[in-house]
Amino acid sequence: MPLTRRAFLITSAAIPAVAATATLVRAATPPVYMDRNGTAIDGSDAVAYFTEGKPVRGNAAFTHDWNGATWRFASAANRDAFAADPQAYAPQYGGYCAWAVSEGYTASTVPEAWKIVDGRLFLNYSRRFQRKWERDQDARIRAGDANWPSVLNG
């Protein structure tokens, strides 16, 4: 079936609208750092950082899909708490390394390099980078907040 001029014009007019919508969606829900299976923060329980004060491995039996990723939890109670208010428990900067985001790029994280500051969970690439981030934590948070989520476009 040949492409008519009318079909071409309609399709051409729709492409910018679709692209603009995709851009708006991306800006509204920044991506989350996840593994190749779509699991957020290496399968760690985001709620446990707040309730147990340490990283706890999540269980595949207790999951919640949010912001394009699957989040695992150690218990149904933690899953339900997260589902009720994901923004309260999800790590800052989509779970990307807080040091890296403060420097203007993204990097993966490990569950053991973490800190809660003013009720916000921050993860880092390693304990070494965690210590570097903590040396000037307030400035790093300000820089990270200023760079997020635009750092995803770079």
Side-chain angles (χ1 to χ4, degrees):
M1 179 168 145
L3 183 64
T4 65
R5 182 171 188 253
R6 181 176 182 192
F8 174 77
L9 291 173
I10 290 171
T11 303
S12 297
I15 289 172
V18 170
T21 302
T23 300
L24 291 174
V25 169
R26 183 175 186 188
T29 55
V32 171
Y33 173 71
M34 60 187 117
D35 65 19
R36 65 180 157 268
N37 298 318
T39 303
I41 62 173
D42 289 326
S44 294
D45 182 336
V47 175
Y49 284 103
F50 293 89
T51 61
E52 296 189 37
K54 64 181 181 180
V56 174
R57 193 90 186 129
N59 184 324
F62 306 112
T63 64
H64 179 72
D65 290 336
W66 179 74
N67 209 9
T70 299
W71 299 75
R72 289 186 178 182
F73 303 92
S75 68
N78 283 7
R79 178 201 57 214
D80 296 346
F82 184 90
D85 191 4
Q87 294 288 351
Y89 298 104
Q92 300 302 295
Y93 318 133
Y96 289 96
C97 173
W99 166 270
V101 172
S102 75
E103 289 288 308
Y105 63 96
T106 61
S108 61
T109 56
V110 296
E112 301 78 23
W114 66 280
K115 187 169 185 182
I116 295 173
V117 179
D118 296 330
R120 299 168 67 194
L121 174 61
F122 295 89
L123 300 175
N124 276 288
Y125 176 77
S126 67
R127 288 184 179 178
R128 179 174 154 247
F129 277 91
Q130 176 77 22
R131 288 188 298 273
K132 289 175 70 169
W133 179 83
E134 287 176 340
R135 283 187 208 123
D136 199 8
Q137 171 181 296
D138 293 340
R140 292 280 170 198
I141 291 171
R142 282 192 302 276
D145 290 349
N147 289 340
W148 186 257
S150 62
V151 68
L152 296 170
N153 299 324

